Amino acid sequence: MSSPEAAPGDDTAEVVERYRCHVNAGLASLFKFMGFDAVEWKAEGSTIWDTEGRDYLDLLAGFGTLALGHRPAAVVAGVRDQLDRMPLSSRVLFNKPVSDLAARLAAILPGDIAKSFFCNSGTEAIEGALKLARLYTGRPGVVATEGGFHGKTLGALSVSGREVYRQPFAPLVPGVTHVPFGDTDALAAAVGDSTAAVVLEPIQGEGGVIVPPDEYLPAAREICDRAGALLIADEVQTGLGRTGALFACDHSGVVPDIICLAKALGGGVMPLGAFSSTPTIWACLEENPLLHSSTLGGNPLACAAGLAAIEEITRNGLPARAARLGDHALDRLRDLQAAHGDMITDLRGRGLLIGVQFRDADVAGLVIAGLAQRRVIAAYTLNNPEVIRIEPALTIPEADLDRGISALADSVEQTKGLLAQLD
Ligand code: PLP
């Protein structure tokens, strides 16, 4: 595929140099190391074009943000309509996109979750959820999971589970205990009468795409109920169809007390996050409605995007499509693993959240670089660099998904050859 139009302006070297001097020199080196030495310019669906007119197949979808692909027409139209009338809110008058989105979410969220607070990112959604749990229960403690990823603001980082990101910022928020993900006994032992909440991802994304045993979420629900603690489901990455159900909690029928969304919620056009809960729990935020607030969170542009995104995801049956394409991808990847068991040590996933576990992080890095050479965009999971994620748009054409998996197979072969030369 060639670029629909040429890109004007700076050449790649100038942009990289400005990143080095004015953004973050380490980030510039990291992009280059992974083989992504190009400047993005334009995108449509699962294709990105760089400033030199080269096309890339996107198997990463902005770390799961682009559930509808790049520039989905219905979301762009909804945002454009709002842009032409009123992009940002007065913050004192009632705002229709906020009310519409909150009501639409209430209709699709599990159980009797019916009230939402809108913010701009996943980490802010987690901050709000943690504050709400403390406020409602009057307790300080939080139990979180090893390998869990919840964001990088101080509260969300405190409940995340990878030391390399946590340790430089210690001391973090007190009262947090981490337990192994998927281990019901460890969870039961850690939750007590000072626990405000258990926070977990129904399927860990950045931890390396870890699907817990079927009984784990129902057990977590029971443990929380017994202790009077709240269950916070972090569905920032899994929410809105990614795992083959509208919410990953739906696979087990578990209804959390608080649910966090972001990424796909903005339709791949606007930054948008939310935390939502039941009217009973929410009441503690209503006595003083300014106890938790955000000037820019839930702005009309973002809410217009959210409304259009939910409409597109539900109307087009994208959760079911993700389930079907995910099964297909896993079948093909199983063949690849069978052929290269010395390189690929495990395969995990549900829907279009798939993790390919390599024998070490260096091998995974070389495979990503090989994909970059083939102009296929992929990345490792942040809390487990041995795992390459296959996380495309839920709308990716099946032929493109197949092309991406073939490129992965070629890159694994190439990496094997490289390693053999080094032996
Ligand atoms: N929670 C989960 C499960 C995530 O995967 C992420 C980001 O990857 C976050 C929270 C943080 O979201 P953000 O990067 O928008 O702050």
Side-chain angles (χ1 to χ4, degrees):
M1 223 182 283
S2 64
S3 168
E5 64 194 56
D10 302 322
D11 68 17
T12 301
E14 274 176 285
V15 174
V16 173
E17 186 57 13
R18 283 187 208 133
Y19 255 71
R20 233 181 42 72
C21 295
H22 304 296
V23 180
N24 187 314
L27 190 63
S29 301
L30 181 63
F31 284 175
K32 281 186 149 233
F33 177 74
M34 289 192 298
F36 296 117
D37 193 11
V39 178
E40 59 193 9
W41 172 247
K42 194 177 165 94
E44 199 80 51
S46 289
T47 306
I48 298 170
W49 288 271
D50 69 14
T51 46
E52 313 274 327
R54 291 172 297 216
D55 61 282
Y56 298 77
L57 174 61
D58 188 357
L59 288 191
L60 179 60
F63 292 84
T65 298
L66 304 155
L68 296 163
H70 294 268
R71 299 183 67 246
V75 182
V76 170
V79 170
R80 190 167 281 150
D81 176 62
Q82 186 63 41
L83 182 65
D84 287 342
R85 279 182 298 110
M86 189 170 186
L88 292 185
S89 164
S90 71
R91 302 305 307 190
V92 293
L93 298 175
F94 289 102
N95 184 270
K96 184 168 159 54
V98 172
S99 69
D100 287 351
L101 179 60
R104 188 75 185 97
L105 273 176
I108 61 166
L109 283 168
D112 58 350
I113 294 179
K115 298 214 174 187
S116 295
F117 177 96
F118 297 114
C119 51
N120 303 290
S121 63
T123 199
E124 286 172 81
I126 295 293
E127 296 294 336
L130 295 174
K131 285 176 69 181
L132 175 56
R134 276 190 169 184
L135 185 67
Y136 178 72
T137 61
R139 300 173 176 184
V142 178
V143 178
T145 63
E146 292 168 8
F149 187 89
H150 302 289
K152 289 183 180 159
T153 50
L154 208 56
L157 184 63
S158 302
V159 295
S160 290
R162 190 178 179 207
E163 280 311 306
V164 70
Y165 296 132
R166 294 162 48 84
Q167 193 276 331
F169 302 102
L172 298 174
V173 174
V176 178
T177 309
H178 282 89
V179 293
F181 183 65
D183 183 337
T184 302
D185 293 340
L187 188 64
V191 175
D193 56 14
S194 66
T195 307
V198 170
V199 58
L200 48 79
E201 299 152 85
I203 294 173
Q204 278 192 343
E206 303 303 328
V209 188
I210 314 285
V211 183
D214 287 347
E215 62 277 10
Y216 184 59
L217 237 57
R221 177 68 277 174
E222 226 180 282
I223 290 164
C224 286
D225 288 345
R226 246 194 338 252
L230 301 187
L231 179 61
I232 301 173
D234 180 348
E235 296 240 19
V236 164
Q237 184 149 202
T238 52
L240 296 169
R242 169 68 47 196
T243 69
L246 199 51
F247 303 102
C249 285
D250 296 346
H251 292 298
S252 58
V254 165
V255 178
D257 298 298
I258 305 176
I259 189 166
C260 297
L261 300 173
K263 296 203 186 233
L265 185 59
V269 175
M270 292 298 297
L272 176 61
F275 68 95
S276 310
S277 189
T278 65
T280 306
I281 294 170
W282 210 257
C284 64
L285 284 174
E286 296 184 327
E287 212 170 292
N288 177 355
L290 300 182
L291 213 48
H292 189 70
S293 63
S294 165
T295 308
L296 295 173
N299 66 72
L301 281 180
C303 290
L307 261 177
I310 292 172
E311 182 59 23
E312 283 298 285
I313 288 167
T314 52
R315 190 171 57 85
N316 293 316
L318 293 185
R321 186 171 196 273
R324 186 176 65 75
L325 286 194
D327 286 348
H328 168 69
L330 273 171
D331 278 349
R332 283 205 56 197
L333 290 166
R334 272 188 206 104
D335 291 343
L336 187 63
Q337 186 191 10
H340 301 286
D342 53 332
M343 309 268 286
I344 298 174
T345 56
D346 199 12
L347 265 183
R348 299 178 292 265
R350 201 151 191 180
L352 285 173
L353 183 58
I354 295 173
V356 185
Q357 169 100 41
F358 286 86
R359 70 168 190 241
D360 59 47
D362 290 344
V363 171
L366 286 169
V367 172
I368 290 171
L371 282 167
Q373 282 169 19
R374 291 163 177 81
R375 300 206 306 277
V376 174
I377 292 178
Y380 61 81
T381 54
L382 276 182
N383 281 356
N384 187 347
E386 295 170 359
V387 175
I388 295 181
R389 66 221 286 155
I390 308 293
E391 192 175 5
L394 312 185
T395 54
I396 188 172
E398 195 164 337
D400 282 348
L401 180 59
D402 276 328
R403 185 159 62 87
I405 293 172
S406 299
L408 179 69
D410 292 346
S411 179
V412 170
E413 280 282 359
Q414 180 185 7
T415 301
K416 207 168 182 169
L418 276 173
L419 292 173
Q421 282 172 25
L422 291 176
D423 276 349

